[in-house]
Amino acid sequence: MESKRVMTLIGREQAVVGKTFRLYSIPSECRQCKLFNICVARLRPGRVYRIVEVKHVGLPQPNKCLLTGEDMVPIIAEELPIIIPIPAKLFIEGVIITYTKSLITCTDARKYIPNDNVLKEGTRVKLVRETGRVKCGGESYVLAEVIPLD
C-alpha cells in the first residue's frame, strides 16, 4: 500500500517507531514558533500518522517545543488510510474517486462519515481496500480504506 510520508518533528519521549498520533488542531503557539514550517505545518489536522523512522541528529542543543517544553527530534511519519463508507456499486479497489458524502443516505452508513477536518467533500481519494460492509434499507455500502490525494 502506498502511503504519504512526511518528515516532521515530535517530542523526544513520543519518538518511538510504530507509535501513532493524531493532530487535532494547530495551536496558536505553534504558528509563532520558528520550527512551525518543519513541524506541524507539514501535517493535516484530523489525520492519523504512524512513526516509521526516528532520525538521530547529533545537535549539541536540541530545539524545544514552545508548547510542551520537550526536546524536538525529527521523524518520518506515514499518513494512515481513512475508513469511509462508499456505495458498493462505486467501489473498485485501486480506483481514484471524488469523495461525496451526499451519496450516503443511510443512517447506519452515515455514522462512519468522517468530519470535515479529516476529509472534506470533493477531495479526491484512492480506494485502497475493503474492510467491511454495511447494509441498510435497500442500500449496500463498502467500508473502504482510502488515501486522500490532497
Side-chain angles (χ1 to χ4, degrees):
M1 173 174 67
E2 66 228 42
S3 59
K4 292 189 237 176
R5 289 187 174 200
V6 62
M7 181 177 261
T8 187
L9 299 174
I10 199 165
R12 186 179 306 280
E13 296 295 317
Q14 298 167 322
V16 177
V17 172
K19 195 170 191 176
T20 60
F21 64 93
R22 179 187 308 249
L23 176 69
Y24 288 99
S25 64
I26 299 176
S28 60
E29 293 89 345
C30 292
R31 295 185 191 283
Q32 301 164 10
C33 180
K34 65 182 178 182
L35 301 175
F36 177 74
N37 288 330
I38 59 171
C39 190
V40 293
R42 296 179 173 205
L43 303 175
R44 302 291 308 251
R47 306 277 172 87
V48 178
Y49 297 87
R50 178 180 319 142
I51 300 171
V52 294
E53 185 179 348
V54 177
K55 301 284 191 179
H56 295 285
V57 180
L59 296 175
Q61 196 169 10
N63 288 299
K64 295 207 180 278
C65 175
L66 292 178
L67 199 59
T68 65
E70 283 187 85
D71 291 342
M72 300 301 283
V73 295
I75 62 162
I76 304 291
E78 67 180 354
E79 186 177 318
L80 298 179
I82 300 167
I83 297 176
I84 62 170
I86 300 287
K89 62 185 176 209
L90 298 179
F91 181 82
I92 301 172
E93 194 172 301
V95 168
I96 295 172
I97 65 167
T98 300
Y99 173 62
T100 309
K101 65 181 165 187
S102 61
L103 291 176
I104 300 151
T105 57
C106 178
T107 306
D108 287 344
R110 289 188 77 75
K111 68 183 175 188
Y112 293 101
I113 294 175
N115 68 34
D116 284 343
N117 288 342
V118 176
L119 187 64
K120 288 184 173 48
E121 188 161 4
T123 301
R124 291 170 36 89
V125 296
K126 181 172 185 178
L127 304 179
V128 177
R129 71 182 182 97
E130 178 180 330
T131 62
R133 289 191 174 247
V134 175
K135 192 161 182 91
C136 46
E139 300 176 76
S140 182
Y141 297 90
V142 171
L143 297 177
E145 279 190 356
V146 300
I147 297 174
L149 300 176
D150 56 357

